[in-house]
Amino acid sequence: MGNTSQDNTMAEGVGIGHAGRPGSSARFATQAEAQQSIDDMPVVKHWNPSRSSAAIGVVCSLVFPAVIMLLAASLFAVVFGAGHNAQGAGLFVGAIVETILVILYASVFYPSYFTSNPMLRRSDDVSFANCFMGGIVFGLLWNENIRTSMLVKRPEKGASYIVAIVLGGIVVTNFMLSFAFGMIGEVLMW
C-alpha cells in the first residue's frame, strides 16, 4: 500500500507520519491541529522558558511525592496506630494521590497550553509546572514540545502527555488491585 494522504492522516492521529509535506514530522494530535496557527495560543506564541524554573520544578518533583507520602504515612500512623501496616497504607495513599495529580495535570493543564485559554500563562509558571508534575522526563518533553510549536508556528503537543496519562492509569489500577488483593489476603489470613 502506498504512502497516501489518507495513510498519513491516520498516522498523524497517533503522532507519526508527515504534516502534509514530505520530509516533515507530525507530532500533533489531529489533522485539524496541523492547520492551526499559534497566534491564538498565548503560551506557545510567547514561550520563553526559564531554566531555573524548570530546574526547581524537577527538584520539587522529587521532593513533593516524598513529602506527601510521609505526611500520609504519619497521618495513618497517628489515626490507626504506629504499626507498619498503617504507615504502609499511608505511603500507598500518598502515592495514589500524587499519581492522580499527574494524570489531572497531563489531561487538563498541559493540553490547555495549546489553546487560547491556557490554565497558566507565564512561561516561567508553565516551565515550572511541566517539570514539577511531569518530572525530569515528561516535564522536559512538554517544555520542548511548546518550544518546537513556537519555532514551527503550529501546535506540536506530542504524545508524551497521553503516555503519562496511560502510565498513571496503569499505576493507579495496579495500586488499587494490590490493595484489594492485600485486603482479601488479610481477611483470609485472619
Side-chain angles (χ1 to χ4, degrees), residues 91-157:
L91 291 173
F92 171 81
V93 168
I96 286 179
V97 167
E98 197 269 334
T99 304
I100 290 171
L101 289 175
V102 171
I103 292 170
L104 289 174
Y105 182 83
S107 61
V108 176
F109 277 75
Y110 175 73
S112 80
Y113 303 145
F114 297 90
T115 67
S116 59
N117 191 20
M119 299 294 244
L120 299 172
R121 291 189 176 266
R122 291 185 47 230
S123 292
D124 289 350
D125 297 341
V126 173
S127 185
F128 170 82
N130 280 346
C131 289
F132 175 57
M133 295 309 293
I136 194 164
V137 174
F138 290 114
L140 294 177
L141 281 171
W142 294 337
N143 283 347
E144 178 62 19
N145 288 341
I146 296 171
R147 184 185 78 82
T148 301
S149 297
M150 182 193 68
L151 293 174
V152 300
K153 305 284 190 232
R154 68 173 184 271
E156 300 269 348
K157 283 189 223 178

Side-chain angles (χ1 to χ4, degrees), residues 42-84:
V43 170
V44 175
K45 185 175 181 180
H46 305 292
W47 183 246
N48 186 18
S50 167
R51 288 188 177 151
S52 60
S53 292
I56 292 169
V58 168
V59 169
C60 288
S61 76
L62 300 172
V63 173
F64 179 73
V67 169
I68 291 292
M69 287 190 267
L70 288 175
L71 286 174
S74 299
L75 178 67
F76 271 65
V78 168
V79 172
F80 298 110
H84 67 279

